[in-house]
Amino acid sequence: MAPQDALTGWDDKDNAEAYVAFTRTHPMYNATSRDLACRGELIDADLVVDLCGGAGATARAILGLVPDRARVVSVDSSGAMQRVGRRTLSDPRLSWITAPAEQLAEHVPDSSVDAVVCNSAIWKTDTLAVFAGVARVLRPGGRFIFNIGGGFAGVHHPDEHTVRTGPSLNTLIHQVAARDHGYTPPSKNKGTAPKLPLKTVTTELAAAGLAVVGTEVTAQHGTMAEKKAWLSIPVFARPAGGGFTHAQRMEILDAAYALTTPDTVTVTSWLVVVAQRPTDRS
């Protein structure tokens, strides 16, 4: 079935199918999921939450680390993503809750969770509300592990500068859209602050009663071919504005990709944060 000529968001069947197809073929989400899950100290966990879990890529990584007795709960607001997840990931230890991340504490008992893991989505949420909910459901000593895209966090791994060999595919897409369609890219204000820097994250976590116990800027290495596949998923297709249909965005993507070499290495930076509910909290 051809993609719809609109960006209808995450709760769209075509987008969910495209997203899951990407996770099966390319390592990005599986690699970042394993990285986060390994930081959760899950070997003795009884209950783990995969927050903003989508179709279950991170839940799969968690299930590979927790003991057989453990339960994993995947929470996401997209019914479409979870329907695909239920079809492609069957494990009796895994249950699905369709709800926004901000409503986590309404669906999981207080002080019952050993770890909450959130991959590639925390900046899309109301972080103050989410952090408060996570603090409620974590047991004392429980961990909250999440990552923030480098652009949102205002961080860059050194590999971004040492590996880059030319313009990014996003840059080429905007150039092609301007050249062939009269598109005017949004102006970049160099003085614009990042949406979710570590200082803000630390302050908001502390307000919720959580303490940062570790941070790291990591680099996810891929290829231009993988980046093209990622930008083919409807919610990620570019340009985001301009009134383009999905078909037009794919034409622009193909034209931009033709200006690249498929095996050119790409680097995506992530700020990884590990927080914890103090053990002495009353």
Side-chain angles (χ1 to χ4, degrees):
M1 181 176 179
Q4 298 176 7
D5 285 343
L7 286 178
T8 52
W10 284 105
D11 203 21
D12 174 76
K13 177 180 179 295
D14 292 330
N15 187 80
E17 295 286 356
Y19 176 87
V20 171
F22 176 88
T23 64
R24 291 182 190 141
T25 307
H26 299 281
M28 183 180 80
Y29 283 107
N30 293 325
T32 52
S33 293
R34 285 194 302 271
D35 175 59
L36 296 180
C38 286
R39 297 171 190 261
E41 299 182 350
L42 304 180
I43 191 169
D44 292 321
D46 291 311
L47 177 60
V48 180
V49 171
D50 173 20
L51 192 62
C52 303
T58 303
R60 189 187 303 275
I62 294 168
L63 288 164
L65 294 174
V66 296
D68 290 342
R69 69 173 188 277
R71 293 186 299 120
V72 178
V73 177
S74 186
V75 179
D76 197 275
S77 61
S78 169
M81 292 286 284
Q82 291 195 332
R83 282 190 290 274
V84 177
R86 289 188 181 97
R87 191 185 73 224
T88 58
L89 178 57
S90 177
D91 191 303
R93 297 173 295 170
L94 175 62
S95 58
W96 306 80
I97 294 175
T98 307
E102 294 81 359
Q103 296 177 10
L104 170 65
E106 299 177 22
H107 299 277
V108 178
D110 291 359
S111 303
S112 65
V113 176
D114 296 289
V116 176
V117 182
C118 183
N119 187 9
S120 310
I122 198 69
W123 61 86
K124 302 173 186 176
T125 70
D126 177 346
T127 48
L128 282 169
V130 169
F131 293 170
V134 169
R136 277 185 58 184
V137 303
L138 280 178
R139 63 165 176 78
R143 288 196 158 199
F144 179 27
I145 310 98
F146 58 95
N147 55 11
I148 306 170
F152 291 99
V155 299
H156 299 279
H157 191 277
D159 284 3
E160 278 199 56
H161 306 291
T162 58
V163 173
R164 180 170 294 177
T165 57
S168 69
L169 189 53
N170 274 324
T171 296
L172 293 171
I173 285 170
H174 284 96
Q175 291 175 354
V176 169
R179 182 194 69 195
D180 297 345
H181 299 274
Y183 173 71
T184 302
S187 59
K188 292 185 178 180
N189 186 348
K190 292 184 178 181
T192 302
K195 180 178 180 180
L196 202 56
L198 180 58
K199 182 178 180 180
T200 299
V201 170
T202 301
T203 300
E204 292 187 358
L205 287 169
L210 299 170
V212 173
V213 296
T215 65
E216 183 181 359
V217 178
T218 64
Q220 175 67 31
H221 294 78
T223 64
M224 200 65 76
E226 181 181 28
K227 186 69 172 180
K228 178 180 185 289
W230 187 76
L231 289 168
S232 298
I233 301 170
V235 294
F236 299 136
R238 298 291 183 268
F244 295 105
T245 66
H246 184 73
Q248 288 174 324
R249 290 187 173 94
M250 293 303 95
E251 291 174 5
I252 293 168
L253 174 60
D254 288 340
Y257 182 66
L259 302 174
T260 73
T261 303
D263 59 357
T264 295
V265 176
T266 62
V267 179
T268 304
S269 295
W270 297 92
L271 173 62
V272 179
V273 179
V274 181
Q276 190 171 39
R277 176 177 167 181
T279 55
D280 59 350
R281 179 175 174 178
S282 59

mmCIF file of all heavy atoms in Angstrom, residues 51-88:
data_model
loop_
_atom_site.group_PDB
_atom_site.id
_atom_site.type_symbol
_atom_site.label_atom_id
_atom_site.label_comp_id
_atom_site.label_asym_id
_atom_site.label_seq_id
_atom_site.Cartn_x
_atom_site.Cartn_y
_atom_site.Cartn_z
ATOM 1 N N LEU A 51 9.360 3.246 28.092
ATOM 2 C CA LEU A 51 8.526 4.452 27.965
ATOM 3 C C LEU A 51 8.635 5.012 26.557
ATOM 4 O O LEU A 51 9.730 5.121 26.005
ATOM 5 C CB LEU A 51 8.978 5.487 28.995
ATOM 6 C CG LEU A 51 8.067 6.690 29.213
ATOM 7 C CD1 LEU A 51 6.704 6.257 29.739
ATOM 8 C CD2 LEU A 51 8.728 7.676 30.178
ATOM 9 N N CYS A 52 7.497 5.408 25.981
ATOM 10 C CA CYS A 52 7.443 5.811 24.561
ATOM 11 C C CYS A 52 7.983 4.669 23.716
ATOM 12 O O CYS A 52 8.801 4.863 22.806
ATOM 13 C CB CYS A 52 8.231 7.095 24.316
ATOM 14 S SG CYS A 52 7.729 8.500 25.307
ATOM 15 N N GLY A 53 7.501 3.477 24.011
ATOM 16 C CA GLY A 53 8.093 2.259 23.468
ATOM 17 C C GLY A 53 7.776 1.935 22.030
ATOM 18 O O GLY A 53 8.360 1.003 21.473
ATOM 19 N N GLY A 54 6.838 2.645 21.420
ATOM 20 C CA GLY A 54 6.550 2.410 20.006
ATOM 21 C C GLY A 54 6.194 0.973 19.721
ATOM 22 O O GLY A 54 5.353 0.367 20.379
ATOM 23 N N ALA A 55 6.871 0.387 18.727
ATOM 24 C CA ALA A 55 6.573 -0.980 18.301
ATOM 25 C C ALA A 55 7.432 -2.013 19.007
ATOM 26 O O ALA A 55 7.379 -3.193 18.657
ATOM 27 C CB ALA A 55 6.757 -1.099 16.790
ATOM 28 N N GLY A 56 8.247 -1.583 19.977
ATOM 29 C CA GLY A 56 8.910 -2.570 20.827
ATOM 30 C C GLY A 56 10.380 -2.820 20.580
ATOM 31 O O GLY A 56 10.919 -3.794 21.121
ATOM 32 N N ALA A 57 11.074 -1.977 19.815
ATOM 33 C CA ALA A 57 12.505 -2.203 19.593
ATOM 34 C C ALA A 57 13.278 -2.183 20.906
ATOM 35 O O ALA A 57 14.170 -3.012 21.140
ATOM 36 C CB ALA A 57 13.069 -1.153 18.635
ATOM 37 N N THR A 58 12.949 -1.236 21.791
ATOM 38 C CA THR A 58 13.644 -1.152 23.071
ATOM 39 C C THR A 58 13.170 -2.251 24.015
ATOM 40 O O THR A 58 13.971 -2.816 24.772
ATOM 41 C CB THR A 58 13.445 0.231 23.700
ATOM 42 O OG1 THR A 58 13.913 1.223 22.779
ATOM 43 C CG2 THR A 58 14.215 0.360 25.000
ATOM 44 N N ALA A 59 11.899 -2.582 23.974
ATOM 45 C CA ALA A 59 11.395 -3.685 24.797
ATOM 46 C C ALA A 59 12.129 -4.984 24.465
ATOM 47 O O ALA A 59 12.443 -5.777 25.353
ATOM 48 C CB ALA A 59 9.894 -3.853 24.593
ATOM 49 N N ARG A 60 12.414 -5.197 23.195
ATOM 50 C CA ARG A 60 13.130 -6.404 22.787
ATOM 51 C C ARG A 60 14.517 -6.453 23.447
ATOM 52 O O ARG A 60 14.958 -7.503 23.936
ATOM 53 C CB ARG A 60 13.273 -6.449 21.263
ATOM 54 C CG ARG A 60 13.814 -7.768 20.728
ATOM 55 C CD ARG A 60 14.073 -7.662 19.230
ATOM 56 N NE ARG A 60 12.868 -7.287 18.498
ATOM 57 C CZ ARG A 60 11.946 -8.137 18.082
ATOM 58 N NH1 ARG A 60 12.094 -9.432 18.335
ATOM 59 N NH2 ARG A 60 10.889 -7.706 17.405
ATOM 60 N N ALA A 61 15.198 -5.300 23.464
ATOM 61 C CA ALA A 61 16.521 -5.249 24.100
ATOM 62 C C ALA A 61 16.412 -5.504 25.599
ATOM 63 O O ALA A 61 17.245 -6.206 26.184
ATOM 64 C CB ALA A 61 17.172 -3.901 23.827
ATOM 65 N N ILE A 62 15.391 -4.938 26.228
ATOM 66 C CA ILE A 62 15.199 -5.136 27.667
ATOM 67 C C ILE A 62 14.932 -6.602 27.972
ATOM 68 O O ILE A 62 15.495 -7.175 28.913
ATOM 69 C CB ILE A 62 14.050 -4.246 28.172
ATOM 70 C CG1 ILE A 62 14.422 -2.765 28.049
ATOM 71 C CG2 ILE A 62 13.690 -4.585 29.620
ATOM 72 C CD1 ILE A 62 13.253 -1.817 28.255
ATOM 73 N N LEU A 63 14.076 -7.227 27.178
ATOM 74 C CA LEU A 63 13.730 -8.633 27.402
ATOM 75 C C LEU A 63 14.943 -9.540 27.312
ATOM 76 O O LEU A 63 14.994 -10.597 27.952
ATOM 77 C CB LEU A 63 12.673 -9.075 26.389
ATOM 78 C CG LEU A 63 11.261 -8.510 26.608
ATOM 79 C CD1 LEU A 63 10.406 -8.688 25.370
ATOM 80 C CD2 LEU A 63 10.607 -9.175 27.825
ATOM 81 N N GLY A 64 15.929 -9.126 26.543
ATOM 82 C CA GLY A 64 17.145 -9.920 26.423
ATOM 83 C C GLY A 64 18.057 -9.818 27.627
ATOM 84 O O GLY A 64 19.019 -10.593 27.736
ATOM 85 N N LEU A 65 17.761 -8.891 28.551
ATOM 86 C CA LEU A 65 18.632 -8.671 29.706
ATOM 87 C C LEU A 65 17.985 -9.024 31.041
ATOM 88 O O LEU A 65 18.686 -9.328 32.009
ATOM 89 C CB LEU A 65 19.076 -7.205 29.750
ATOM 90 C CG LEU A 65 19.984 -6.730 28.607
ATOM 91 C CD1 LEU A 65 20.221 -5.227 28.716
ATOM 92 C CD2 LEU A 65 21.311 -7.468 28.630
ATOM 93 N N VAL A 66 16.667 -8.957 31.121
ATOM 94 C CA VAL A 66 16.001 -9.216 32.398
ATOM 95 C C VAL A 66 15.865 -10.716 32.635
ATOM 96 O O VAL A 66 15.901 -11.518 31.702
ATOM 97 C CB VAL A 66 14.608 -8.545 32.436
ATOM 98 C CG1 VAL A 66 14.727 -7.034 32.374
ATOM 99 C CG2 VAL A 66 13.719 -9.079 31.312
ATOM 100 N N PRO A 67 15.704 -11.125 33.904
ATOM 101 C CA PRO A 67 15.499 -12.549 34.195
ATOM 102 C C PRO A 67 14.143 -13.035 33.694
ATOM 103 O O PRO A 67 13.249 -12.240 33.381
ATOM 104 C CB PRO A 67 15.591 -12.609 35.721
ATOM 105 C CG PRO A 67 15.320 -11.220 36.195
ATOM 106 C CD PRO A 67 15.811 -10.302 35.121
ATOM 107 N N ASP A 68 14.003 -14.350 33.617
ATOM 108 C CA ASP A 68 12.774 -14.939 33.081
ATOM 109 C C ASP A 68 11.535 -14.545 33.872
ATOM 110 O O ASP A 68 10.428 -14.485 33.323
ATOM 111 C CB ASP A 68 12.893 -16.473 33.071
ATOM 112 C CG ASP A 68 13.895 -16.964 32.038
ATOM 113 O OD1 ASP A 68 14.234 -16.182 31.123
ATOM 114 O OD2 ASP A 68 14.345 -18.123 32.157
ATOM 115 N N ARG A 69 11.705 -14.266 35.154
ATOM 116 C CA ARG A 69 10.543 -13.942 35.998
ATOM 117 C C ARG A 69 10.050 -12.513 35.791
ATOM 118 O O ARG A 69 8.942 -12.156 36.209
ATOM 119 C CB ARG A 69 10.902 -14.115 37.471
ATOM 120 C CG ARG A 69 11.901 -13.058 37.960
ATOM 121 C CD ARG A 69 12.156 -13.093 39.452
ATOM 122 N NE ARG A 69 12.964 -11.950 39.877
ATOM 123 C CZ ARG A 69 14.277 -11.888 39.807
ATOM 124 N NH1 ARG A 69 14.950 -12.938 39.317
ATOM 125 N NH2 ARG A 69 14.919 -10.809 40.214
ATOM 126 N N ALA A 70 10.875 -11.677 35.174
ATOM 127 C CA ALA A 70 10.588 -10.237 35.096
ATOM 128 C C ALA A 70 9.438 -9.936 34.151
ATOM 129 O O ALA A 70 9.129 -10.709 33.231
ATOM 130 C CB ALA A 70 11.834 -9.486 34.652
ATOM 131 N N ARG A 71 8.826 -8.780 34.393
ATOM 132 C CA ARG A 71 7.804 -8.266 33.494
ATOM 133 C C ARG A 71 8.289 -6.950 32.881
ATOM 134 O O ARG A 71 8.961 -6.157 33.538
ATOM 135 C CB ARG A 71 6.484 -8.024 34.240
ATOM 136 C CG ARG A 71 5.806 -9.285 34.750
ATOM 137 C CD ARG A 71 4.450 -8.970 35.351
ATOM 138 N NE ARG A 71 4.549 -8.065 36.486
ATOM 139 C CZ ARG A 71 3.967 -6.867 36.550
ATOM 140 N NH1 ARG A 71 3.253 -6.400 35.520
ATOM 141 N NH2 ARG A 71 4.086 -6.115 37.627
ATOM 142 N N VAL A 72 7.913 -6.745 31.626
ATOM 143 C CA VAL A 72 8.238 -5.509 30.918
ATOM 144 C C VAL A 72 6.926 -4.898 30.440
ATOM 145 O O VAL A 72 6.083 -5.595 29.864
ATOM 146 C CB VAL A 72 9.178 -5.762 29.723
ATOM 147 C CG1 VAL A 72 9.455 -4.462 28.967
ATOM 148 C CG2 VAL A 72 10.479 -6.393 30.206
ATOM 149 N N VAL A 73 6.760 -3.609 30.677
ATOM 150 C CA VAL A 73 5.565 -2.887 30.244
ATOM 151 C C VAL A 73 6.000 -1.824 29.243
ATOM 152 O O VAL A 73 6.855 -0.984 29.548
ATOM 153 C CB VAL A 73 4.844 -2.222 31.433
ATOM 154 C CG1 VAL A 73 3.643 -1.410 30.944
ATOM 155 C CG2 VAL A 73 4.419 -3.264 32.455
ATOM 156 N N SER A 74 5.420 -1.872 28.048
ATOM 157 C CA SER A 74 5.713 -0.875 27.021
ATOM 158 C C SER A 74 4.567 0.130 26.969
ATOM 159 O O SER A 74 3.410 -0.241 26.751
ATOM 160 C CB SER A 74 5.886 -1.541 25.652
ATOM 161 O OG SER A 74 6.291 -0.593 24.692
ATOM 162 N N VAL A 75 4.898 1.392 27.185
ATOM 163 C CA VAL A 75 3.899 2.468 27.230
ATOM 164 C C VAL A 75 4.113 3.390 26.043
ATOM 165 O O VAL A 75 5.217 3.912 25.834
ATOM 166 C CB VAL A 75 4.014 3.271 28.546
ATOM 167 C CG1 VAL A 75 2.990 4.409 28.563
ATOM 168 C CG2 VAL A 75 3.838 2.363 29.758
ATOM 169 N N ASP A 76 3.061 3.603 25.258
ATOM 170 C CA ASP A 76 3.148 4.516 24.116
ATOM 171 C C ASP A 76 1.751 5.014 23.777
ATOM 172 O O ASP A 76 0.758 4.295 23.971
ATOM 173 C CB ASP A 76 3.756 3.806 22.896
ATOM 174 C CG ASP A 76 4.241 4.781 21.844
ATOM 175 O OD1 ASP A 76 3.435 5.221 21.003
ATOM 176 O OD2 ASP A 76 5.441 5.129 21.864
ATOM 177 N N SER A 77 1.684 6.232 23.264
ATOM 178 C CA SER A 77 0.381 6.824 22.944
ATOM 179 C C SER A 77 -0.154 6.385 21.594
ATOM 180 O O SER A 77 -1.318 6.639 21.271
ATOM 181 C CB SER A 77 0.481 8.353 22.976
ATOM 182 O OG SER A 77 1.419 8.806 22.013
ATOM 183 N N SER A 78 0.678 5.724 20.782
ATOM 184 C CA SER A 78 0.271 5.340 19.427
ATOM 185 C C SER A 78 -0.258 3.915 19.381
ATOM 186 O O SER A 78 0.497 2.947 19.499
ATOM 187 C CB SER A 78 1.452 5.478 18.456
ATOM 188 O OG SER A 78 1.130 4.881 17.208
ATOM 189 N N GLY A 79 -1.559 3.788 19.166
ATOM 190 C CA GLY A 79 -2.135 2.465 19.000
ATOM 191 C C GLY A 79 -1.628 1.767 17.753
ATOM 192 O O GLY A 79 -1.446 0.544 17.741
ATOM 193 N N ALA A 80 -1.358 2.534 16.694
ATOM 194 C CA ALA A 80 -0.870 1.940 15.451
ATOM 195 C C ALA A 80 0.493 1.288 15.656
ATOM 196 O O ALA A 80 0.741 0.168 15.190
ATOM 197 C CB ALA A 80 -0.788 3.004 14.360
ATOM 198 N N MET A 81 1.393 1.980 16.352
ATOM 199 C CA MET A 81 2.711 1.419 16.612
ATOM 200 C C MET A 81 2.604 0.160 17.469
ATOM 201 O O MET A 81 3.265 -0.852 17.212
ATOM 202 C CB MET A 81 3.578 2.463 17.302
ATOM 203 C CG MET A 81 3.939 3.645 16.432
ATOM 204 S SD MET A 81 5.191 3.267 15.179
ATOM 205 C CE MET A 81 6.657 3.242 16.200
ATOM 206 N N GLN A 82 1.746 0.191 18.471
ATOM 207 C CA GLN A 82 1.629 -0.967 19.347
ATOM 208 C C GLN A 82 0.963 -2.154 18.658
ATOM 209 O O GLN A 82 1.297 -3.308 18.940
ATOM 210 C CB GLN A 82 0.876 -0.580 20.616
ATOM 211 C CG GLN A 82 1.684 0.353 21.511
ATOM 212 C CD GLN A 82 1.123 0.459 22.907
ATOM 213 O OE1 GLN A 82 -0.090 0.293 23.120
ATOM 214 N NE2 GLN A 82 1.979 0.729 23.872
ATOM 215 N N ARG A 83 0.049 -1.896 17.742
ATOM 216 C CA ARG A 83 -0.561 -3.010 17.011
ATOM 217 C C ARG A 83 0.495 -3.745 16.188
ATOM 218 O O ARG A 83 0.503 -4.984 16.136
ATOM 219 C CB ARG A 83 -1.689 -2.499 16.114
ATOM 220 C CG ARG A 83 -2.978 -2.201 16.866
ATOM 221 C CD ARG A 83 -4.141 -1.926 15.927
ATOM 222 N NE ARG A 83 -3.994 -0.664 15.224
ATOM 223 C CZ ARG A 83 -4.388 0.514 15.716
ATOM 224 N NH1 ARG A 83 -4.921 0.586 16.921
ATOM 225 N NH2 ARG A 83 -4.255 1.620 15.007
ATOM 226 N N VAL A 84 1.372 -3.009 15.546
ATOM 227 C CA VAL A 84 2.464 -3.646 14.805
ATOM 228 C C VAL A 84 3.401 -4.357 15.775
ATOM 229 O O VAL A 84 3.872 -5.468 15.515
ATOM 230 C CB VAL A 84 3.236 -2.605 13.967
ATOM 231 C CG1 VAL A 84 4.425 -3.250 13.265
ATOM 232 C CG2 VAL A 84 2.314 -1.963 12.935
ATOM 233 N N GLY A 85 3.659 -3.727 16.916
ATOM 234 C CA GLY A 85 4.530 -4.341 17.907
ATOM 235 C C GLY A 85 3.986 -5.665 18.422
ATOM 236 O O GLY A 85 4.726 -6.649 18.549
ATOM 237 N N ARG A 86 2.704 -5.708 18.722
ATOM 238 C CA ARG A 86 2.104 -6.954 19.211
ATOM 239 C C ARG A 86 2.215 -8.070 18.174
ATOM 240 O O ARG A 86 2.364 -9.247 18.520
ATOM 241 C CB ARG A 86 0.633 -6.717 19.563
ATOM 242 C CG ARG A 86 0.410 -5.881 20.806
ATOM 243 C CD ARG A 86 -1.065 -5.881 21.164
ATOM 244 N NE ARG A 86 -1.344 -5.065 22.340
ATOM 245 C CZ ARG A 86 -1.764 -3.809 22.294
ATOM 246 N NH1 ARG A 86 -1.956 -3.221 21.115
ATOM 247 N NH2 ARG A 86 -1.997 -3.136 23.402
ATOM 248 N N ARG A 87 2.144 -7.698 16.921
ATOM 249 C CA ARG A 87 2.220 -8.683 15.835
ATOM 250 C C ARG A 87 3.636 -9.209 15.652
ATOM 251 O O ARG A 87 3.830 -10.381 15.299
ATOM 252 C CB ARG A 87 1.735 -8.050 14.532
ATOM 253 C CG ARG A 87 1.514 -9.033 13.395
ATOM 254 C CD ARG A 87 1.164 -8.318 12.112
ATOM 255 N NE ARG A 87 2.337 -7.651 11.536
ATOM 256 C CZ ARG A 87 2.342 -6.422 11.034
ATOM 257 N NH1 ARG A 87 1.239 -5.691 11.073
ATOM 258 N NH2 ARG A 87 3.431 -5.910 10.523
ATOM 259 N N THR A 88 4.619 -8.362 15.880
ATOM 260 C CA THR A 88 5.999 -8.731 15.553
ATOM 261 C C THR A 88 6.830 -9.115 16.771
ATOM 262 O O THR A 88 7.924 -9.667 16.610
ATOM 263 C CB THR A 88 6.702 -7.564 14.836
ATOM 264 O OG1 THR A 88 6.663 -6.393 15.669
ATOM 265 C CG2 THR A 88 6.004 -7.258 13.513
#
